[in-house]
Amino acid sequence: MNNMGAGIAITGCGSAAPEAVLTNDHLAQMVATSDEWINTRTGMSNRHIASATESLSQLSAVAAQNAIAMAGITATDIDLIILATSTPDDLFGSACKIQGLIGATNAVAFDLGAACSGFIFALITASGFIRAGVYKNVLIIGADILSRWVDWSDRSSCVLFGDGAGAMVCQGTSQDDRLLSFGMYSNGSQNDSLNLNYYSQSKPLVENITAQYGSYKPITMNGKEVYRFAVAKVPEAISKAMFQANLTADDIDWLLLHQANQRIMDAVAKRLKIPTEKILSNIAEYGNTSAASIPLALDAAVRDGRVQPGHTIAASGFGAGLTWGAAIFKWG
């Protein structure tokens, strides 16, 4: 046990995405849509699609290595790896595979499933271990390859999703705690609004005993319900977190939301009275990458200099479950 006190420092980030880019014009060749229709309604222009030789574990490993390098530590310094994903390479989990790929030989690793809220839930989970003094250096990864589970003939959903991975290093510190407040929420009564369901076939084994085996159906979504849910619950969650941290909208340097739809992000900013120029958005390039979307957007903003040490970031993830959560933290 490493007794590091109650402080958390966020010291590194990284990201990775597949090489292949699927544009709105490409989608217009596949289904009845257009670049204008997609861009106007979602803010999306491109999305990156994993090839047969690109795995979730490999993308995650690259993102993790970039985050570890920025933090100025080595893979063997990592005590814990939390992989937030809904699309592991292996149904038993992919966190341990990533641990092996990056050489984090001293780390315990596990997967966390909370769909598009996964990265925020992973950050909050990591903070509990650090604040308890159990672990000093925690690597959190948000990664998804949703293209594996998209119905590419469904115009309402196939335009939305892309693939990618993002990572963050959180470290115990005796200095100021950089995670200022957080909240996590779930509403299972709306579970059928966004699903990637298992379907089975019957296989008789012996008399009176039949096993069920099968696969998963493509993603289904009630877009209107998810939109209404997000624009109502996300501002509420962030407002509660700001209250807990004794902050106002004027204290927030950046609004970092799950990249589901630009209209959702704009609506959340308006309700919070946060200027839209404070929204960190890369949805035009990557689309909705589920658990990867928040760290992908953060990494781009850190590396191009928009996000500076000491900046206060209000972040929120929301999606299937239904789940949602918020965290307010200072970068660096």
Side-chain angles (χ1 to χ4, degrees):
M1 179 175 289
N2 299 297
N3 186 6
M4 292 301 300
I8 299 163
I10 298 168
T11 58
C13 60
S15 62
E19 290 185 11
V21 176
L22 186 71
T23 69
N24 290 348
D25 289 333
H26 289 144
L27 286 163
Q29 299 173 34
M30 299 161 52
V31 293
T33 190
S34 68
D35 174 62
E36 181 188 15
W37 191 93
I38 298 168
N39 213 306
T40 301
R41 287 162 177 78
T42 68
M44 300 174 187
S45 298
N46 301 323
R47 64 284 298 145
H48 292 240
I49 304 297
S51 70
T53 59
E54 291 173 311
S55 70
L56 182 116
S57 300
Q58 291 167 335
L59 290 172
S60 298
V62 173
Q65 288 164 336
N66 291 337
I68 291 167
M70 183 185 288
I73 60 176
T74 67
T76 55
D77 294 318
I78 300 296
D79 304 306
L80 171 66
I81 299 170
I82 304 174
L83 170 66
T85 188
S86 300
T87 56
D89 296 324
D90 184 329
L91 197 56
F92 289 151
S94 291
C96 291
K97 178 66 176 293
I98 296 164
Q99 183 237 32
L101 287 173
I102 67 174
T105 52
N106 297 313
V108 63
F110 62 83
D111 288 33
L112 182 154
C116 303
S117 305
F119 191 78
I120 294 297
F121 281 27
L123 171 60
I124 295 167
T125 301
S127 74
F129 284 109
I130 292 172
R131 286 174 170 166
V134 178
Y135 297 121
K136 177 182 177 182
N137 300 314
V138 180
L139 171 68
I140 57 174
I141 304 167
D144 272 302
I145 298 183
L146 290 174
S147 62
R148 292 171 171 169
W149 301 108
V150 168
D151 179 353
W152 292 102
S153 66
D154 178 8
R155 181 179 65 169
S156 66
S157 64
C158 74
V159 302
L160 300 175
F161 299 108
D163 306 332
M168 178 188 287
V169 172
C170 302
Q171 295 185 271
T173 177
S174 58
Q175 306 302 313
D176 292 340
D177 195 337
R178 294 305 181 101
L179 180 60
L180 306 181
S181 61
F182 62 81
M184 295 189 293
Y185 310 91
S186 299
N187 182 2
S189 69
Q190 290 184 276
N191 179 260
D192 60 358
S193 297
L194 180 54
N195 302 100
L196 204 173
N197 282 318
Y198 177 78
Y199 75 95
S200 64
Q201 296 175 302
S202 296
K203 177 165 180 66
L205 301 179
V206 295
E207 187 177 1
N208 297 325
I209 300 177
T210 300
Q212 303 298 316
Y213 73 101
S215 185
Y216 290 85
K217 294 181 180 179
I219 296 166
T220 59
M221 180 174 66
N222 184 328
K224 290 182 179 179
E225 283 301 314
V226 172
Y227 181 91
R228 281 196 286 263
F229 145 73
V231 298
K233 295 298 185 181
V234 172
E236 180 183 280
I238 293 174
S239 293
K240 287 181 179 178
M242 287 195 299
F243 178 79
Q244 291 168 0
N246 195 28
L247 299 174
T248 69
D250 292 338
D251 298 314
I252 303 302
D253 293 302
W254 300 105
L255 184 62
L256 176 58
L257 303 177
H258 166 50
Q259 312 280 296
N261 186 306
Q262 189 63 49
R263 292 193 302 169
I264 291 176
M265 291 189 277
D266 291 341
V268 170
K270 183 177 180 180
R271 292 201 180 191
L272 291 169
K273 295 182 171 57
I274 294 175
T276 54
E277 56 265 26
K278 290 187 175 183
I279 298 172
L280 293 178
S281 174
N282 62 359
I283 195 170
E285 177 61 23
Y286 294 101
N288 181 342
T289 56
S290 191
S293 73
I294 288 175
L296 272 170
L298 176 64
D299 187 51
V302 169
R303 292 181 187 274
D304 69 19
R306 281 174 290 165
V307 172
Q308 293 290 317
H311 278 185
T312 300
I313 299 171
S316 180
F318 52 91
L322 293 175
T323 59
W324 66 105
I328 298 180
F329 61 91
K330 287 185 179 291
W331 171 255

